[in-house]
Amino acid sequence: MTHINNNGMPRLDKCGDAYRLIVNERPFISLAGEVHNSSSSSLEYMNKNVWERLVYFNCNTAVIPVSWELIEPLEGTFDFTLVQGLIEGARKHNLKLVFIWFGMWKNSHSTYVPAWVKRDTLRFPRVQSANGKKLPIVSCHSEEALQADSKAFAELMRFIRQIDSTEQTVIMIQVENEVGFLGTARDCSPQADKLFEENVPAELIQYLKDHAEHLNAFLKKHWDSQGTDLLGWTQLFGSAAEEIFTAWHMSRFIDQVAAAGKAEYHLPMFVNVWLKQYEEQDPGQYPTGGPNQNVIDIWKAGGPHIDIIAPDIYLNEFAQVCEIYDRPDNPLFIPETRRDSVTAANVFYAIGEHQALGYTPFGIETMDNGVDPWSAGFLPPNHFMVMESTGVGPLLSKSYELLHHMTPVITQYYGTRQMRGILQDTAYPSAVRLGGYRFQLRFKNRLNSESAPAGGLIIAVSDHDYIIAGHGFSVEFTSMEPGKSAEFISIDEGWYEDGNWVPGRRLNGDEYRVSLGSEPQVLKVSLYSH
């Protein structure tokens, strides 16, 4: 990860074992909504259909595409009217922005490039599959493509700096979108074949050697660490060679695009991930070469200007994916996720357990209005496991409101190991330890019922004092001291306003228990052992 001291600018700061996103010199958690892919192409559409919906859901951030084809319709001629309008719209609604650069690739394919790129297949060659088929994907091995994409992205970043460096509405940038090759494990054009026959770059080999103890299981399985430095891709990586080859070259391409943008305006930058959905998927059935679970380490080697590798989590295995992408060299940021009944539980878990920098349901403007984005054509088939509209908007809205006001408190505990997330999930333990006590969790609704699953977080203010937030669960405490029992000193209801505690009822008698209802709430609990 690149670390540059940009005092006053949005940035990532290392905080113990975690990272914090700093915005306007304060820790910030992006409680966001991502708009549909085409929404931001029209300022009128945004004004009529989107901005107020983001406010309704208590989002503090909007995640919004900027399309290359719309800002550089003629080569060398840039029009940033749309970008300026989006920034002004966010400011009017008191929202921060994360822009998505729909540049050379979006969901593998090159569909958001300008017409002058689409038409010129000699200057911007397409990926070729093993059977000779030309795919609608510009090759990452094209120097012309790299230069054109980098120039356009740098112009975008220069414009954002010119109009926004003071107010800092734009806080992060996603570079490209869900990159990789669908339909082939690698580019099999003559140019790519020649590269594939060369030795593996020394810098990649050196990175793998330097990080050998911490590489993921996929690379440990496929990398011949005993080989010499002068070996080809297949010799070093066996059956995984094509995927690793593509990941290396894709990461190098996007790293150079990010570097060009950062040279103009040094905002945090990330890439998002179309995850491999199940182990049996073959390369090409998912975007091969993107920073999926197999090749995160290759991207860390090839992308030093990329601050975060951020998973789009639509799989049911939410907790497992968070575990994979929350690494000492990679903070967790979730730029796309489901918006069905699990989403309000997942946001608490991601923040509490993994100190997530942000959380972003996709298609926020049509949540709860009966539009299924898959059937409406917003999403490609075979991409997402679950995507429903189930009336969960009010629960997400209230969760966002609670977490927004708790942010100054929550971020104090990032990297301290004094906070845990809670998630009603088959992979989540029913008992956890924190501070001086063991917690037994009881969930109020059955998993996979029509009711929303439970989610929350627990902060150990001390060994005996806790802040518990979330919905749908109760907690029983057991002392960690042998032979002693846990008893309450006090249980207080309340809420936070901009980080300040506002006390409510002191619970006792029939209510002398730690139980959070179906709507998000906060309790303060003090215990003693005897």
Side-chain angles (χ1 to χ4, degrees), residues 24 91 96 163-170:
N24 300 126
R91 289 175 182 168
K96 296 297 185 182
I163 72 164
D164 194 50
S165 58
T166 299
E167 294 198 36
Q168 298 177 12
T169 308
V170 182

Side-chain angles (χ1 to χ4, degrees), residues 35 192 296 300 319:
V35 306
I296 302 173
K300 285 297 177 182

Side-chain angles (χ1 to χ4, degrees), residues 161-328:
R161 171 175 55 81
Q162 289 171 347
I163 72 164
D164 194 50
S165 58
T166 299
E167 294 198 36
Q168 298 177 12
T169 308
V170 182
I171 60 172
M172 286 202 294
I173 303 291
Q174 178 181 303
V175 189
E176 316 294 346
N177 187 86
E178 292 186 345
V179 300
F181 296 163
L182 281 174
T184 185
R186 69 169 178 90
D187 184 358
C188 297
S189 65
Q191 178 191 7
D193 283 346
K194 184 178 179 180
L195 290 171
F196 191 65
E197 292 168 2
E198 294 178 357
N199 291 331
V200 176
E203 58 187 304
L204 174 55
I205 294 175
Q206 190 60 52
Y207 181 94
L208 296 177
K209 288 181 176 180
D210 292 344
H211 298 80
E213 293 183 5
H214 305 290
L215 297 177
N216 64 20
F218 178 85
L219 278 180
K220 286 182 178 178
K221 175 182 177 181
H222 291 284
W223 174 43
D224 179 9
S225 60
Q226 304 304 313
T228 72
D229 293 352
L230 299 175
L231 289 177
W233 294 91
T234 302
Q235 290 170 294
L236 269 185
F237 300 111
S239 62
E242 292 189 318
E243 178 166 16
I244 292 172
F245 170 81
T246 304
W248 171 254
H249 285 281
M250 184 67 75
S251 66
R252 295 302 301 135
F253 186 111
I254 294 177
D255 183 71
Q256 292 173 81
V257 174
K262 284 189 172 186
E264 295 294 338
Y265 191 34
H266 201 284
L267 290 179
M269 296 188 182
F270 65 93
V271 294
N272 67 330
V273 185
W274 179 328
L275 295 167
K276 186 176 179 179
Q277 295 183 6
Y278 47 87
E279 189 62 32
E280 293 76 18
Q281 274 192 309
D282 293 325
Q285 294 179 326
Y286 54 92
T288 309
N292 63 65
Q293 304 95 311
N294 290 347
V295 292
I296 302 173
D297 292 301
I298 303 300
W299 274 77
K300 285 297 177 182
H305 295 93
I306 299 167
D307 297 292
I308 306 170
I309 297 174
D312 293 347
I313 310 180
Y314 295 94
L315 302 179
N316 294 323
E317 296 79 16
F318 183 85
Q320 294 93 316
V321 175
C322 289
E323 185 72 25
I324 291 169
Y325 282 88
D326 176 14
R327 299 167 31 134

Side-chain angles (χ1 to χ4, degrees), residues 394-411:
L395 182 58
L396 179 67
S397 178
K398 292 173 183 177
S399 298
Y400 269 14
E401 181 180 28
L402 183 153
L403 289 165
H404 175 73
H405 285 287
M406 282 192 71
T407 291
V409 177
I410 292 171
T411 52

Side-chain angles (χ1 to χ4, degrees), residues 361-374:
F362 175 78
I364 193 75
E365 71 267 37
T366 55
M367 180 183 281
D368 287 352
N369 70 357
V371 174
D372 177 351
W374 190 335

